[in-house]
Amino acid sequence: MSNANESKRSILTLIALIFAGEVIFFLPFVIPRIFRPTLLEVFQISNLELGTCFSVYGIVAMASYFFGGPLADKYSPRNLIAFALWLTGLGGIVITIYPTVALLYILYGFWGFTTIFLLWAALIRATREWGGDSQGKAFGFLEGGRGLTAAAIGTFAVLLFDSAISSQVAENYDQHRVESYQMVLIATSLITFITGAFVWFTVPRQIVKSTEQFKPTLDGVFNLMKMPTIWMQAVIIVCAYVGYKITDDYSLYAHEVLGFDEVSAAGVGTFALWMRPVFAILAGLAADKFDPVKVIAWCFAIMIFGGLLVYQGAISHPVWLAISVLTTTLIGVYGIRGIYFAVVQRIKVPLAATGTAVGIISFIGFTPDVFMSPLMGYVLDKDPGVIGHQNVFLILSIFALVGLLTSMALCKNIKSESDSSSLAQS
């Protein structure tokens, strides 16, 4: 195969991984994030009940992270990712019938299995293999591309919803809002199915052949768990993911604090999605030039600054200033998301053990899937309006501070091990 053909195949592989890594989360998370006010009205549920759906997802996902990791070290990432997309799309068909809250809980548990057990570790391993020595670029492009995909499909969803609902007469507004939202769900499910087929036909069964040997056994898992850097990275992801979960509040913040209507509030959520590729790619490039752990520390500092400004309540008006401060927090949130798995190579995890290591890190790192949405729902329902939203951003700042301290400790640990290794070789 010529170099040109290899390069083309490599680019198609990355594009397929990008689409897969984002499209699969549209039904359980991105659509609810963009249309949160509409979803609450259509399903007649509270913030706490929606948060509980996310919590059910998180509980299933926690077990799926741990056991799905070794699965990615044993089977082809292509097969795992494609089947994950097809099953997730099937769940999307179910939600179009507007199930009860109890059935929603079951569906979110099912999505916790399809999106995490089958896909997550396989996606991260495939990206690490694709990136080689440029891990910051690989994961920055993955997250940036995922963000671009989310923004594009999210914008399409908003336009579809606005077009469908604007064409209806006012007296049947509630009924047509339900029908319009159903159109969005059906379109998203079809996109998920198509993405599964795209992965199947473009991603090789094995991206690179590793000469390292790793058996995903209990002993192998325990050996990885003995590494303190694994746990530090897990804490960093916990703190970063809390920030990401809080982006769920952006559209509701715009609706309840800034006074935007439903469509405009969804537009704010979509604007946040458009910021994701920009900040993730910039962070990835910076990580390869400097150090991923140092860039993560800088991003946490930015999150603290932006979160405290919102908490102080001094930026709800004028609107342009409020949006600017919200954007500041996104620099940190999306910057860290772009590169936190680039640290896996920095802490010297063997390539052949990538899936298992990612499973361990994710098992701890993504626990905000369990507690953050119910906590945010409780805070918003307890103090409706401005105060509730301010308290949400105080939580963001607290976790960002913990993340900053942990990333500084990890940087010191890596430097200490590097100095020790240099002395041993001299």
Side-chain angles (χ1 to χ4, degrees):
M1 183 181 293
S2 68
N3 290 335
N5 287 336
E6 288 180 359
S7 177
K8 182 179 178 180
R9 183 60 181 265
S10 177
I11 292 172
L12 282 176
T13 296
L14 180 61
I15 291 173
L17 294 176
I18 287 169
F19 282 176
E22 189 57 34
V23 168
I24 199 165
F25 294 110
F26 251 77
L27 286 165
F29 290 116
V30 179
I31 293 298
R33 181 177 302 126
I34 296 173
F35 295 99
R36 189 180 182 109
T38 306
L39 183 151
L40 296 176
E41 290 296 325
V42 168
F43 285 91
Q44 290 296 294
I45 60 176
S46 67
N47 283 298
L48 181 58
E49 287 173 321
L50 178 59
T52 303
C53 287
F54 295 146
S55 184
V56 170
Y57 173 97
I59 291 170
V60 175
M62 282 186 65
S64 296
Y65 281 125
F66 193 81
F67 294 104
L71 193 73
D73 289 330
K74 187 174 182 180
Y75 297 105
S76 166
R78 182 201 71 175
N79 296 354
L80 295 173
I81 294 170
F83 278 103
L85 285 157
W86 291 329
L87 290 174
T88 301
L90 183 62
I93 300 301
V94 173
I95 203 175
T96 60
I97 66 173
Y98 299 104
T100 63
V101 174
L103 194 53
L104 272 177
Y105 292 157
I106 294 172
L107 182 58
Y108 267 85
F110 173 74
W111 278 336
F113 171 81
T114 62
T115 61
I116 303 303
F117 183 79
L118 296 177
L119 175 132
W120 184 247
L123 177 71
I124 301 303
R125 170 157 185 163
T127 304
R128 184 183 178 188
E129 291 179 355
W130 185 91
D133 294 330
S134 301
Q135 292 293 293
K137 182 179 73 173
F139 284 101
F141 282 176
L142 176 71
E143 180 61 21
R146 288 177 63 193
L148 187 61
T149 302
I153 300 178
T155 300
F156 166 74
V158 171
L159 293 174
L160 177 64
F161 179 79
D162 185 33
S163 174
I165 204 168
S166 298
S167 65
Q168 307 301 332
V169 292
E171 58 267 23
N172 293 324
Y173 179 80
D174 288 338
Q175 176 186 346
H176 292 306
R177 178 169 57 176
V178 170
E179 294 173 353
S180 299
Y181 189 64
Q182 186 179 35
M183 287 179 60
V184 170
L185 294 175
I186 292 173
T188 306
S189 299
L190 291 176
I191 291 171
T192 307
F193 281 117
I194 293 170
T195 303
F198 181 47
V199 168
W200 184 266
F201 289 109
T202 58
V203 175
R205 289 181 58 87
Q206 188 175 16
I207 297 175
V208 298
K209 293 183 179 180
S210 174
T211 57
E212 302 167 338
Q213 296 297 319
F214 176 80
K215 294 182 179 180
T217 62
L218 286 177
D219 287 341
V221 171
F222 286 139
N223 287 334
L224 287 172
M225 292 176 68
K226 292 177 183 177
M227 298 172 60
T229 50
I230 289 282
W231 296 99
M232 290 182 187
Q233 186 178 357
V235 172
I236 287 172
I237 293 179
V238 168
C239 299
Y241 202 61
V242 165
Y244 181 68
K245 295 295 287 184
I246 285 174
T247 63
D248 289 351
D249 185 46
Y250 277 49
S251 63
L252 196 62
Y253 181 92
H255 184 60
E256 295 185 350
V257 179
L258 303 181
F260 289 12
D261 61 30
E262 288 185 15
V263 174
S264 297
V268 171
T270 305
F271 166 78
L273 295 178
W274 280 106
M275 294 299 98
R276 182 175 162 193
V278 176
F279 300 139
I281 291 173
L282 288 176
L285 296 174
D288 281 341
K289 185 174 182 180
F290 300 104
D291 180 278
V293 185
K294 290 181 180 178
V295 175
I296 286 172
W298 298 338
C299 288
F300 274 127
I302 293 171
M303 285 173 62
I304 295 170
F305 175 72
L308 289 178
L309 281 179
V310 178
Y311 171 66
Q312 289 297 319
I315 53 86
S316 59
H317 293 287
V319 170
W320 68 265
L321 181 60
I323 298 299
S324 297
V325 174
L326 291 175
T327 302
T328 299
T329 64
L330 293 175
I331 295 173
V333 170
Y334 292 145
I336 298 172
R337 272 184 64 87
I339 59 175
Y340 50 39
F341 278 112
V343 178
V344 171
Q345 186 148 305
R346 192 76 175 86
I347 61 177
K348 295 181 170 55
V349 171
L351 177 61
T354 300
T356 304
V358 167
I360 296 169
I361 294 167
S362 300
F363 178 73
I364 303 298
F366 294 114
T367 51
D369 270 333
V370 177
F371 70 81
M372 194 56 215
S373 291
L375 174 61
M376 189 164 65
Y378 171 77
V379 169
L380 292 172
D381 289 340
K382 180 176 180 294
D383 296 298
V386 176
I387 294 177
H389 291 284
Q390 289 176 344
N391 290 335
V392 165
F393 280 88
L394 175 61
I395 294 171
L396 167 71
S397 300
I398 292 171
F399 275 93
L401 176 60
V402 175
L404 173 61
L405 296 174
T406 305
S407 56
M408 291 170 65
L410 178 57
C411 193
K412 184 177 179 180
N413 183 286
I414 291 173
K415 185 177 185 303
S416 177
E417 289 187 358
S418 178
D419 290 344
S420 299
S421 177
S422 297
L423 288 174
Q425 292 175 1
S426 62

